[in-house]
Amino acid sequence: IGDDAAVVRLPAGHRLLLTTDLLAEGIHFDLTTATYEDLGYKAAVANLSDIAAMGGTPRHMLVAMALPADRTVSQIRRLYGGLMKACRQHGVALIGGDTSASRGGLFISVTLTGTAPPGQVLMRDGARVGDFIYVTGTLGDSLAGLNLLTAQRRKNPPRYERTLMNRHLRPTARIAAGQTLASRGLATAAIDLSDGLSGDLAHLCEQSAVGAEITATALPLSPACRAYAAAHRVDPTRLALAGGEDYELLFTVSPKNRATVDRLAHEAPYRITSIGIIRPKSFGLRLRDEEGSLKKLTISSYQHFQNPPTVRS
Amino acid sequence: IGDDAAVVRLPAGHRLLLTTDLLAEGIHFDLTTATYEDLGYKAAVANLSDIAAMGGTPRHMLVAMALPADRTVSQIRRLYGGLMKACRQHGVALIGGDTSASRGGLFISVTLTGTAPPGQVLMRDGARVGDFIYVTGTLGDSLAGLNLLTAQRRKNPPRYERTLMNRHLRPTARIAAGQTLASRGLATAAIDLSDGLSGDLAHLCEQSAVGAEITATALPLSPACRAYAAAHRVDPTRLALAGGEDYELLFTVSPKNRATVDRLAHEAPYRITSIGIIRPKSFGLRLRDEEGSLKKLTISSYQHFQNPPTVRS
């Protein structure tokens, strides 16, 4: 910081991974449901999760912000505090920051580098017919949490509601899981769940030119998500399929590595669940429902630009 | 493109340079005076110039945009066209792009990587008392061009006006100059002129803990800038000192390398001019004016965030 560009040194021979995100107020985040610290934390995790999905080690973060004139120094300090908190957990150095004015809401641009040894990078295009489909953690918690945050809030929310809101505001990037899968050559393809299972599975299958069959009863649901679904009479399977911003990893495993991954799953401090199988492209994306019948998998995840805001600038 | 992060390979042992910019409509650019292609071109050059100032070779660009719903596909295509045109000139690969919605104007985030061999990186903190201060090209053209673009336009502007408007809309990043200075160890410090000579000189002097004396009569002015100054009765020295976005390089040279740099200046296809000398910190920043007397150098360059927009979001 202080020069025109940051100068960094990378491990010899490693590949450089680069990811960037531009987050817009009123589109990607809303400061009525999140604090500035939450926002910073989540902006960092969204990028950390991209590096996790590649199996890399996150290294350096650059942040640029455009700030409306009504924001205070204390708010911006809390935003950076959230960014740095998430970075510290993964040994990431915040090496550049830039702020300028904005006439239209707060915008945050985060760029993150990562590194990985050659041949140990997870891509989206390696899934093959017969591979098993896995996810880390549980699905749908973030969407349930968002629903709770945007609804009329209770004064003393039950514990499961607090769990879900926290999962939405403070997600976890699965860095260690991605590194293990990449360094041991256990995954044929991987993607992080930012758009939701159905949408991100569609991305992975498109890049790999394959189809997929997902088993509804296999989808990992947290007790909190089940409690929310029961209380609000919603189908938890739909939350798991459509819910964005879980930041779990979706990955595919060839039959010969299945036993190894299942062994790892037993040792991991979070769930690693087999939820389906890769099928030929002509099969498309299908869901085996609770009754055992196959139906088309609806891609219901949120796509920012295909749902433009109704409020014009 | 297609994966969570881009994967690139760097020359063995080289340092990685990283720079990022977030450009906001109505703050950094205005689409009434620039086309979408101009905007893309200039957004790329602003970042290329940062790598030039470090003496690096630009390598990979990532672009993220937040787009209001009223923008057309054709406008965005022209914006990318401008970005790619500037990238192509320097062999830079556009390796990632992301667009999302915006409720408050167009925002463009550009991240650029560069590389440089270890020990061949130009920094801002190496200027020493007695070093000579140089600039590439001519100064003030971009500000004169901006003034012309925002004023009532003439139907058939004279050639010098077209030259100045073009210098504002299509600046040049001094990549080759930066690389030569860095690889041959000729500069003790360098910065690119984005805020204007007075402001950027202040940044360099602050980082190097030195002062500086600039000779007004030495400032390189183009014939077009002189013609503009005469026609509008403005002081061209003020344009040169205050004008931002020239994207020329300001650098310092130790006395032992002065002859070498002067020889290079004769061979270069653009001007390289000695404009002053580094003084002790206690000297401050001073200008030797046309009459030969020393006065305080006013730092008059535009600083986005210290001049917040008067229109609130």
Side-chain angles (χ1 to χ4, degrees):
Chain A
I1 299 181
D3 279 286
D4 287 293
V7 185
V8 302
R9 201 174 165 162
L10 300 181
H14 279 219
R15 294 294 177 267
L16 172 67
L17 311 177
L18 289 163
T19 181
T20 191
D21 262 331
L22 177 55
L23 304 177
E25 188 167 6
I27 306 284
H28 301 93
F29 62 88
D30 174 356
L31 287 158
T32 60
T33 56
T35 66
Y36 280 86
E37 199 184 350
D38 292 332
L39 170 58
Y41 193 90
K42 203 162 156 181
V45 169
N47 283 273
L48 288 162
S49 181
D50 285 327
I51 299 297
M54 307 291 287
T57 302
R59 300 282 181 185
H60 316 96
M61 187 175 283
L62 295 120
V63 178
M65 291 182 203
L67 298 168
D70 61 357
R71 307 306 156 97
T72 66
V73 171
S74 149
Q75 287 170 331
I76 304 317
R77 198 168 284 152
R78 277 179 274 144
L79 207 167
Y80 270 101
L83 280 162
M84 286 191 282
K85 189 170 183 180
C87 283
R88 259 197 310 275
Q89 291 172 2
H90 298 286
V92 171
L94 191 66
I95 56 168
D98 180 43
T99 55
S100 64
S102 166
R103 293 183 179 180
L106 174 59
F107 287 75
I108 309 172
S109 158
V110 175
T111 299
L112 183 66
T113 72
T115 56
Q120 298 185 18
V121 179
L122 302 175
M123 309 291 278
R124 292 181 180 175
D125 64 0
R128 295 293 169 260
V129 174
D131 284 356
F132 294 93
I133 303 168
Y134 282 80
V135 286
T136 60
T138 55
L139 304 177
D141 295 339
S142 181
L143 177 57
L146 176 63
N147 289 345
L148 288 167
L149 285 161
T150 51
Q152 189 71 37
R153 298 239 217 139
R154 304 198 211 181
K155 207 161 180 195
N156 288 304
R159 192 190 175 83
Y160 80 84
E161 290 195 356
R162 282 180 281 134
T163 300
L164 295 171
M165 290 187 284
N166 192 55
R167 283 271 288 167
H168 178 76
L169 296 172
R170 300 288 172 116
T172 303
R174 298 294 184 195
I175 299 290
Q179 288 171 332
T180 302
L181 294 170
S183 64
R184 298 182 57 179
L186 294 173
T188 51
I191 190 170
D192 76 318
L193 296 177
S194 51
D195 286 346
L197 175 60
S198 59
D200 289 316
L201 177 67
H203 295 317
L204 185 145
C205 286
E206 194 190 331
Q207 292 289 321
S208 295
V210 294
E213 177 182 333
I214 298 294
T215 303
T217 53
L219 295 174
L221 300 168
S222 67
C225 188
R226 286 188 196 279
Y228 171 87
H232 293 79
R233 298 182 185 192
V234 293
D235 178 3
T237 302
R238 291 216 54 75
L239 288 173
L241 289 170
E245 303 192 308
D246 281 320
Y247 297 115
E248 299 295 347
L249 296 187
L250 173 74
F251 58 97
T252 53
V253 173
S254 68
K256 77 171 163 54
N257 283 319
R258 184 165 203 196
T260 309
V261 171
D262 287 342
R263 206 156 43 237
L264 278 177
H266 277 290
E267 296 156 10
Y270 43 83
R271 288 163 78 165
I272 296 178
T273 313
S274 174
I275 61 167
I277 193 159
I278 295 295
R279 298 288 188 200
K281 191 178 171 66
S282 58
F283 182 88
L285 302 181
R286 298 202 214 176
L287 183 72
R288 189 166 294 278
D289 69 15
E290 287 78 355
E291 286 77 42
S293 61
L294 270 179
K295 57 182 187 186
K296 196 169 173 297
L297 182 67
T298 314
I299 299 175
S300 47
S301 59
Y302 183 66
Q303 304 245 344
H304 296 298
F305 206 58
Q306 290 172 24
N307 297 320
T310 48
V311 181
R312 290 296 188 93
S313 62
Chain B
I1 299 180
D3 279 286
D4 288 294
V7 185
V8 301
R9 201 173 166 163
L10 300 181
H14 279 220
R15 294 293 178 266
L16 172 68
L17 311 177
L18 289 163
T19 181
T20 192
D21 262 332
L22 177 55
L23 304 177
E25 188 167 8
I27 305 284
H28 303 92
F29 61 89
D30 174 355
L31 287 159
T32 59
T33 56
T35 66
Y36 280 85
E37 198 183 351
D38 292 332
L39 170 58
Y41 193 90
K42 202 161 156 183
V45 169
N47 283 274
L48 288 162
S49 181
D50 285 327
I51 298 298
M54 309 291 287
T57 302
R59 299 282 181 185
H60 316 97
M61 186 174 284
L62 295 120
V63 178
M65 292 183 202
L67 299 168
D70 61 356
R71 306 306 156 98
T72 66
V73 171
S74 149
Q75 287 170 332
I76 304 318
R77 198 169 283 152
R78 277 178 274 145
L79 208 168
Y80 269 102
L83 281 161
M84 285 191 283
K85 189 171 181 178
C87 284
R88 258 197 309 274
Q89 291 172 1
H90 298 286
V92 170
L94 190 68
I95 56 168
D98 181 42
T99 55
S100 65
S102 166
R103 292 183 179 180
L106 174 59
F107 287 75
I108 308 172
S109 158
V110 175
T111 299
L112 183 67
T113 72
T115 56
Q120 297 185 18
V121 179
L122 302 174
M123 309 291 277
R124 293 180 179 176
D125 64 0
R128 296 293 169 259
V129 174
D131 285 356
F132 294 94
I133 304 169
Y134 282 80
V135 287
T136 60
T138 55
L139 304 178
D141 296 339
S142 181
L143 177 56
L146 176 63
N147 289 345
L148 288 167
L149 285 162
T150 51
Q152 189 73 37
R153 299 241 216 136
R154 303 200 210 180
K155 204 158 182 197
N156 288 305
R159 191 189 175 84
Y160 81 84
E161 290 196 356
R162 281 180 280 134
T163 299
L164 295 171
M165 291 187 282
N166 192 55
R167 281 272 288 167
H168 179 76
L169 296 172
R170 301 289 173 115
T172 304
R174 298 295 185 195
I175 298 291
Q179 287 172 332
T180 301
L181 294 170
S183 64
R184 298 182 57 179
L186 295 173
T188 51
I191 190 171
D192 75 318
L193 296 178
S194 50
D195 286 346
L197 175 60
S198 60
D200 289 315
L201 176 67
H203 295 315
L204 185 145
C205 286
E206 195 191 331
Q207 292 289 320
S208 295
V210 294
E213 177 183 333
I214 298 294
T215 304
T217 52
L219 295 174
L221 300 168
S222 66
C225 188
R226 287 188 195 278
Y228 171 88
H232 293 79
R233 298 184 184 189
V234 294
D235 178 3
T237 302
R238 291 217 51 75
L239 288 172
L241 289 169
E245 303 192 308
D246 280 322
Y247 297 114
E248 299 295 346
L249 296 187
L250 173 74
F251 59 97
T252 54
V253 172
S254 68
K256 77 169 164 53
N257 284 319
R258 185 165 202 195
T260 309
V261 170
D262 287 343
R263 206 156 44 236
L264 277 177
H266 278 290
E267 296 157 10
Y270 43 84
R271 288 163 78 165
I272 296 179
T273 313
S274 175
I275 61 167
I277 193 159
I278 294 294
R279 298 288 188 202
K281 191 176 170 66
S282 58
F283 181 89
L285 302 181
R286 298 202 215 176
L287 183 73
R288 189 167 295 278
D289 68 14
E290 288 77 356
E291 286 76 42
S293 61
L294 269 179
K295 57 182 186 185
K296 196 170 173 297
L297 182 68
T298 313
I299 299 174
S300 47
S301 59
Y302 183 65
Q303 304 245 344
H304 296 298
F305 205 58
Q306 290 171 26
N307 297 319
T310 49
V311 181
R312 290 296 189 91
S313 61

